[in-house]
Amino acid sequence: MSAPRWVDGNRFTLLENGEAYFPRVFEAIAAARHEVLLETFILFEDKVGLGLHAALLSAARNGAKVDITIDGFGSPDLSPAFIGALTEAGVRVHVFDPGTRLFGWRTNLFRRMHRKIVVVDGERAFVGGINYSADHLADFGPEAKQDYAVELEGPLVAHIQRFVQQAIVEGRPGRSSPERRWFRRRAPPSALPSQAAAGAAQAMFVTRDNREHPQDIERHYRAVIRAARHRLVIANAYFFPGYRLLRELRRAARRGVQVSLILQGEPDMAIVKSAAEMLYHHLLRAGVHIYEYCERPLHGKVAVADDEWSTVGSSNLDPLSLSLNLEANVMIRDRDFNRQLGERLDHLMAHCCKRIEAADLQESSLWRLVRSFFVFHFLRRYPAWAGWLPAHAPRLTSVSHTPAAGAERLTEPARS
C-alpha cells in the first residue's frame, strides 16, 4: 500500500458502543448488492456473532461476493456449524495466521491482525475498535466495554476497499507479493474508482504493518501532538507508548496545551492499569491531566486535537499495537465531527472518570526513582526490541467448504 494521503469529500458518523454500531453494520451488510469485505480480530459465537452471521448469509444469498478475515488468535473457537453455513452459502472465510497449539496453548501470540474494518459495495465503510462479541453491549453487565467506531461515505471508501482486497490477495499461500529489491520497481497501483463527495471532511486511512508502514500510526499521533495549540484529548484502552510519544505529550502540556488522557480505571486485565500507572508521575509533573474511566472497561482508541483533527481506529498506544500488530485508523479533519467526539469525551471526563492527582499516588520516592529509571530505558528501546520477534509475511488460510473441515482448518497452520 502506498503512503496515505488526505482525501476530500467524506462524511463521518460516530458510532458509540455496540448499541449504535451493530445495527448499522448488520443492516448495511444484509443489504449489500455486490461485495462485502470484513476484517476483525474477535468474532465470537454469541448473540452478536450470530447477528453478523445472519447478515453475511443474507448478503451471500442475495448474490454479493463476501470475504471475511478473522484473526487466528482472537477468534479460535467458532463451531463447524457456524463456519460451515457461511462457506456453504459462498462466503469466503480467511483466517490470519492460524497457529498450532503447544500443550493446549496457542502459539501465535504476536503479530496479530487487530484491524476492525467493513466495506460494503465500495460505497460505505466502518472502521473502529469494536469487535463482534456481546461484551460490547451494555446488557453484558459490569464487564461491558466502552468503545467507538465510525461509519464513512465518500472517496476514502475506495482506498479502504482496495487495501482490504490487497490484503486478501497478498496473504494467500503462494500468492504473496515479492519482496521489494533495489533493482525491482513496483508496478503503480491501478486508478481508484471515482466516487462523488458525500460531505466536507478531509480524511486519511492510516495502517500499521511489519514491513512498509511499521510506524505510520504513531508518527501521525506525534505530528498532531506537536501541532496542537490549545487542546488534546486521547482516550486509549492500553496505554504504554514509546519514549518519543511521551516526550511530545509532556512538551505539549508544558507549552500550554491542555493535554488530557482517558485511561482504564476498571481494566479488563489488571496489568493494563499497572503499566499505565508507572507513567503517571512522569506525565503529571509536566502538567498532563489523567482521568481513569471507572464505569466499566474502556476499549476505545480515539483522540481529538484543537478544533478540527480526530482519529478513530483499532490502534492502542502500547507495544503490541505500535510495534507488532496489524492496525488501522482513520484520521479526520472535520470541525463538526471533532466537536461531536470531543463532547462525548468531555462527558466521560465529567461524569464517568476519576481525575488522578499526584497526591493520589502512594509510593516512596526511592522506589519511584528506581522504577522510573527502568521504565524510561524500556520505553526508549522497546520498538527496536520488538523487531527481534518473528516478522513473517501475513498468511491467510481459506476455510474449506465442508463444515467438518472448516472447524479443523481454524487451528491448522497455513500451507504454502
Side-chain angles (χ1 to χ4, degrees):
M1 182 180 176
S2 58
R5 60 183 178 84
W6 291 103
V7 178
D8 295 322
N10 304 283
R11 178 171 63 198
F12 287 85
T13 303
L14 179 66
L15 302 173
E16 185 172 353
N17 297 321
E19 285 79 6
Y21 181 72
F22 297 135
R24 294 294 301 147
V25 171
F26 296 169
E27 178 186 12
I29 291 174
R33 305 182 308 276
H34 309 295
E35 180 187 61
V36 175
L37 300 168
L38 183 147
E39 294 185 337
T40 186
F41 178 58
I42 288 176
L43 169 57
F44 287 162
E45 200 169 337
D46 54 21
K47 66 179 181 180
V48 170
L50 293 175
L52 175 62
H53 191 265
L56 293 169
L57 289 177
S58 178
R61 289 167 180 163
N62 288 337
K65 177 183 176 182
V66 182
D67 282 272
I68 72 169
T69 301
I70 59 177
D71 184 81
F73 181 87
S75 308
D77 298 318
L78 298 174
S79 72
F82 186 96
I83 296 295
L86 293 174
T87 57
E88 287 298 321
V91 176
R92 285 160 291 278
V93 180
H94 314 284
V95 184
F96 181 90
D97 274 1
T100 54
R101 294 190 180 227
L102 183 63
F103 303 113
W105 292 86
R106 284 172 282 177
T107 57
N108 49 347
L109 296 176
F110 302 111
R111 314 290 186 186
R112 304 173 189 174
M113 200 288 295
H114 196 244
R115 301 186 295 252
K116 292 91 175 174
I117 300 172
V118 180
V119 185
V120 178
D121 289 339
E123 299 172 354
R124 187 182 308 270
F126 300 83
V127 179
I130 300 177
N131 290 298
Y132 297 96
S133 56
D135 58 1
H136 284 276
L137 294 169
D139 64 10
F140 189 78
E143 298 302 312
K145 293 177 170 61
Q146 173 71 24
D147 211 342
Y148 305 87
V150 290
E151 177 182 354
L152 66 119
E153 301 168 89
L156 188 67
V157 174
H159 293 250
I160 301 172
Q161 178 188 31
R162 183 163 71 180
F163 171 82
V164 180
Q165 289 171 339
Q166 287 180 342
I168 294 171
V169 171
E170 294 178 4
R172 289 173 181 164
R175 297 188 63 182
S176 57
S177 295
E179 293 184 6
R180 295 189 69 178
R181 303 183 186 277
W182 66 271
F183 55 83
R184 180 186 294 149
R185 288 188 176 181
R186 170 172 290 179
S190 57
L192 290 168
S194 60
Q195 197 163 8
Q202 275 193 324
M204 180 187 299
F205 180 62
V206 184
T207 62
R208 195 219 153 263
D209 60 37
N210 295 304
R211 292 185 291 176
E212 296 183 5
H213 304 283
Q215 297 182 17
D216 284 18
I217 292 177
E218 181 181 3
R219 187 168 63 248
H220 279 277
Y221 260 104
R222 294 201 311 267
V224 166
I225 296 168
R226 284 195 299 270
R229 291 294 172 262
H230 61 87
R231 183 182 190 227
L232 174 70
V233 183
I234 296 175
N236 207 267
Y238 304 107
F239 184 82
F240 199 74
Y243 169 75
R244 289 180 292 178
L245 195 147
L246 283 175
R247 181 181 61 193
E248 297 298 346
L249 288 173
R250 285 165 53 88
R251 286 177 173 175
R254 284 173 170 166
R255 69 174 180 264
V257 178
Q258 182 177 316
V259 179
S260 301
L261 302 177
I262 305 175
L263 309 178
Q264 292 209 54
E266 296 292 333
D268 49 359
M269 294 182 290
I271 192 174
V272 171
K273 186 175 179 182
S274 299
E277 285 177 343
M278 293 183 184
L279 308 174
Y280 282 7
H281 277 292
H282 189 62
L283 293 166
L284 289 171
R285 282 200 307 270
V288 175
H289 300 167
I290 299 175
Y291 296 84
E292 288 186 346
Y293 177 72
C294 297
E295 285 201 344
R296 48 190 179 144
L298 175 68
H299 196 256
K301 308 96 169 51
V302 300
V304 295
D306 293 337
D307 301 317
E308 188 176 46
W309 182 90
S310 312
T311 187
V312 180
S314 68
S315 182
N316 294 298
L317 296 176
D318 70 343
L320 281 175
S321 282
L322 296 180
S323 299
L324 295 170
N325 290 344
L326 308 187
E327 306 284 1
N329 276 43
V330 284
M331 310 292 177
I332 305 164
R333 288 176 179 164
D334 182 73
R335 288 180 176 270
D336 289 340
F337 186 84
N338 173 285
R339 181 174 60 253
Q340 183 185 9
L341 178 55
E343 288 174 352
R344 297 308 302 152
L345 297 181
D346 287 342
H347 176 82
L348 288 192
M349 289 186 285
H351 301 287
C352 309
C353 292
K354 173 187 176 182
R355 181 170 172 179
I356 304 300
E357 306 287 354
D360 299 326
L361 306 178
Q362 303 296 327
E363 56 183 30
S364 70
S365 57
L366 177 60
W367 167 238
R368 186 170 68 244
L369 181 64
V370 172
R371 191 177 69 174
S372 295
F373 174 83
F374 286 104
V375 169
F376 172 80
H377 285 286
F378 174 78
L379 291 175
R380 288 192 66 182
R381 302 180 189 279
Y382 85 65
W385 294 341
W388 300 347
L389 293 170
H392 49 268
R395 302 174 303 163
L396 294 183
T397 295
S398 295
V399 176
S400 16
H401 285 276
T402 62
E408 295 169 357
R409 292 293 294 279
L410 281 174
T411 54
E412 288 184 356
R415 301 288 190 260
S416 56

Coordinates of all heavy atoms in Angstrom, one line a residue, residues 294-328:
C294 N -14.1 4.8 35.1 CA -14.3 3.8 36.1 C -15.7 3.1 36.0 O -16.0 2.3 36.9 CB -14.3 4.6 37.5 SG -12.7 5.2 37.9
E295 N -16.5 3.4 35.0 CA -17.8 2.7 35.0 C -17.7 1.3 34.5 O -18.4 0.4 35.0 CB -18.7 3.5 34.0 CG -19.3 4.8 34.6 CD -20.5 5.3 33.9 OE1 -20.8 4.8 32.8 OE2 -21.2 6.1 34.5
R296 N -16.8 1.0 33.5 CA -16.6 -0.3 33.0 C -15.3 -0.3 32.2 O -14.7 0.7 32.1 CB -17.8 -0.7 32.1 CG -18.2 0.3 31.1 CD -19.5 -0.1 30.4 NE -20.0 0.9 29.5 CZ -20.6 0.6 28.3 NH1 -20.9 -0.6 28.0 NH2 -21.0 1.6 27.5
P297 N -14.9 -1.4 31.7 CA -13.6 -1.4 30.9 C -13.7 -0.5 29.7 O -14.6 -0.5 28.9 CB -13.4 -2.9 30.5 CG -14.2 -3.7 31.5 CD -15.4 -2.8 31.8
L298 N -12.7 0.3 29.5 CA -12.5 1.2 28.4 C -11.8 0.4 27.3 O -10.7 -0.2 27.5 CB -11.7 2.4 28.7 CG -11.4 3.4 27.6 CD1 -12.7 4.1 27.1 CD2 -10.4 4.4 28.0
H299 N -12.4 0.4 26.1 CA -11.8 -0.3 25.0 C -11.5 0.6 23.8 O -11.0 0.2 22.8 CB -12.7 -1.5 24.5 CG -12.0 -2.5 23.6 ND1 -12.2 -2.6 22.3 CD2 -11.1 -3.5 23.9 CE1 -11.5 -3.5 21.8 NE2 -10.8 -4.1 22.7
G300 N -11.8 1.9 23.9 CA -11.7 2.8 22.8 C -10.3 3.2 22.5 O -9.4 3.1 23.3
K301 N -10.1 3.6 21.2 CA -8.9 4.1 20.7 C -9.1 5.4 19.9 O -9.2 5.3 18.6 CB -8.1 3.1 19.9 CG -8.0 1.7 20.6 CD -9.1 0.7 20.2 CE -8.9 -0.7 20.6 NZ -8.6 -1.0 21.9
V302 N -9.4 6.5 20.5 CA -9.8 7.7 19.8 C -9.1 8.9 20.4 O -8.5 8.8 21.5 CB -11.4 7.9 20.0 CG1 -12.1 6.8 19.4 CG2 -11.8 8.1 21.4
A303 N -9.1 10.0 19.7 CA -8.5 11.2 20.1 C -9.0 12.4 19.3 O -9.5 12.2 18.2 CB -6.9 11.1 19.9
V304 N -8.9 13.6 20.0 CA -9.3 14.8 19.3 C -8.2 15.8 19.6 O -7.6 15.8 20.7 CB -10.6 15.4 19.7 CG1 -11.8 14.5 19.3 CG2 -10.7 15.7 21.2
A305 N -7.9 16.7 18.7 CA -6.9 17.8 18.9 C -7.5 19.1 18.3 O -8.0 19.2 17.2 CB -5.6 17.5 18.2
D306 N -7.4 20.2 19.2 CA -7.8 21.5 18.8 C -9.3 21.4 18.3 O -10.1 20.8 19.0 CB -6.9 22.1 17.8 CG -5.5 22.4 18.4 OD1 -5.4 22.6 19.7 OD2 -4.5 22.5 17.7
D307 N -9.6 22.1 17.2 CA -11.0 22.2 16.8 C -11.3 21.4 15.5 O -12.4 21.5 15.0 CB -11.3 23.7 16.5 CG -11.1 24.6 17.7 OD1 -11.5 24.1 18.8 OD2 -10.6 25.7 17.6
E308 N -10.3 20.6 15.0 CA -10.6 20.0 13.7 C -10.2 18.6 13.6 O -10.9 17.8 13.0 CB -9.8 20.8 12.6 CG -10.1 20.4 11.2 CD -9.4 21.3 10.2 OE1 -8.2 21.5 10.3 OE2 -10.1 21.7 9.2
W309 N -9.0 18.2 14.2 CA -8.5 16.8 13.9 C -9.1 15.8 14.9 O -9.3 16.1 16.1 CB -7.0 16.9 14.1 CG -6.3 15.5 13.9 CD1 -5.8 15.1 12.7 CD2 -6.0 14.5 14.9 NE1 -5.3 13.8 12.9 CE2 -5.4 13.5 14.2 CE3 -6.2 14.4 16.2 CZ2 -4.9 12.3 14.8 CZ3 -5.8 13.3 16.9 CH2 -5.2 12.2 16.2
S310 N -9.3 14.6 14.4 CA -9.8 13.5 15.2 C -9.2 12.2 14.7 O -8.8 12.1 13.5 CB -11.3 13.4 15.3 OG -11.9 14.6 15.5
T311 N -9.2 11.2 15.5 CA -8.9 9.8 15.0 C -9.8 8.8 15.7 O -10.1 8.9 16.9 CB -7.4 9.5 15.1 OG1 -7.2 8.2 14.5 CG2 -7.0 9.3 16.6
V312 N -10.1 7.8 14.9 CA -10.9 6.6 15.5 C -10.3 5.4 14.8 O -10.0 5.4 13.6 CB -12.4 6.7 15.2 CG1 -13.1 5.4 15.7 CG2 -13.0 7.9 15.7
G313 N -10.0 4.3 15.6 CA -9.5 3.1 14.9 C -9.3 2.0 15.9 O -9.9 1.9 17.0
S314 N -8.4 1.1 15.5 CA -8.1 -0.1 16.3 C -6.8 0.0 17.1 O -6.5 -0.9 17.9 CB -8.0 -1.3 15.3 OG -6.8 -1.2 14.5
S315 N -6.0 1.0 16.9 CA -4.6 1.0 17.5 C -4.6 1.5 18.9 O -5.0 2.7 19.1 CB -3.7 1.9 16.6 OG -2.4 1.8 17.1
N316 N -4.2 0.7 19.8 CA -3.9 1.2 21.1 C -2.5 1.9 21.1 O -1.8 1.9 20.1 CB -3.8 0.0 22.1 CG -5.1 -0.7 22.3 OD1 -6.1 -0.1 22.8 ND2 -5.2 -1.9 21.9
L317 N -2.2 2.5 22.2 CA -0.9 3.1 22.3 C 0.0 2.3 23.3 O 0.3 2.8 24.4 CB -1.0 4.6 22.8 CG -1.8 5.5 21.8 CD1 -2.0 6.9 22.4 CD2 -1.1 5.6 20.5
D318 N 0.3 1.1 22.9 CA 1.1 0.2 23.7 C 2.0 -0.6 22.8 O 2.0 -0.5 21.5 CB 0.2 -0.7 24.5 CG -0.5 -1.8 23.6 OD1 -0.6 -1.6 22.4 OD2 -1.0 -2.8 24.2
P319 N 3.0 -1.4 23.3 CA 3.9 -2.1 22.5 C 3.3 -3.0 21.4 O 3.8 -3.1 20.3 CB 4.8 -2.9 23.5 CG 4.7 -2.1 24.7 CD 3.3 -1.5 24.8
L320 N 2.2 -3.7 21.8 CA 1.6 -4.6 20.8 C 1.1 -3.8 19.6 O 1.4 -4.2 18.4 CB 0.4 -5.4 21.5 CG 0.8 -6.6 22.4 CD1 -0.5 -7.1 23.0 CD2 1.5 -7.6 21.6
S321 N 0.3 -2.8 19.8 CA -0.3 -2.0 18.7 C 0.8 -1.2 17.9 O 0.7 -1.1 16.7 CB -1.4 -1.1 19.2 OG -2.6 -1.8 19.4
L322 N 1.7 -0.6 18.6 CA 2.7 0.3 18.0 C 3.9 -0.4 17.3 O 4.6 0.1 16.5 CB 3.1 1.3 19.0 CG 2.1 2.3 19.5 CD1 2.7 3.3 20.5 CD2 1.4 3.0 18.4
S323 N 4.1 -1.7 17.7 CA 5.3 -2.3 17.2 C 5.1 -3.7 16.7 O 6.0 -4.3 16.1 CB 6.3 -2.4 18.4 OG 6.7 -1.2 18.8
L324 N 3.9 -4.3 16.9 CA 3.7 -5.7 16.5 C 2.4 -6.0 15.7 O 2.5 -6.6 14.6 CB 3.6 -6.6 17.8 CG 4.9 -6.6 18.6 CD1 4.7 -7.3 19.9 CD2 6.0 -7.4 17.9
N325 N 1.3 -5.5 16.1 CA 0.0 -5.9 15.5 C -0.2 -5.1 14.2 O 0.4 -4.1 13.9 CB -1.2 -5.5 16.4 CG -1.2 -6.4 17.6 OD1 -0.6 -7.5 17.7 ND2 -2.0 -6.0 18.6
L326 N -1.1 -5.7 13.4 CA -1.6 -5.0 12.2 C -2.8 -4.2 12.6 O -3.8 -4.7 13.1 CB -2.0 -6.0 11.1 CG -1.0 -7.1 10.7 CD1 -1.4 -7.9 9.5 CD2 0.4 -6.4 10.5
E327 N -2.8 -2.9 12.3 CA -3.8 -1.9 12.8 C -4.3 -1.0 11.7 O -3.7 -0.9 10.7 CB -3.2 -1.1 14.0 CG -2.5 -1.8 15.1 CD -3.6 -2.4 16.1 OE1 -4.8 -2.3 15.8 OE2 -3.1 -3.1 17.1
A328 N -5.4 -0.3 12.0 CA -6.0 0.6 11.0 C -6.7 1.7 11.8 O -7.6 1.4 12.6 CB -6.9 -0.1 10.0

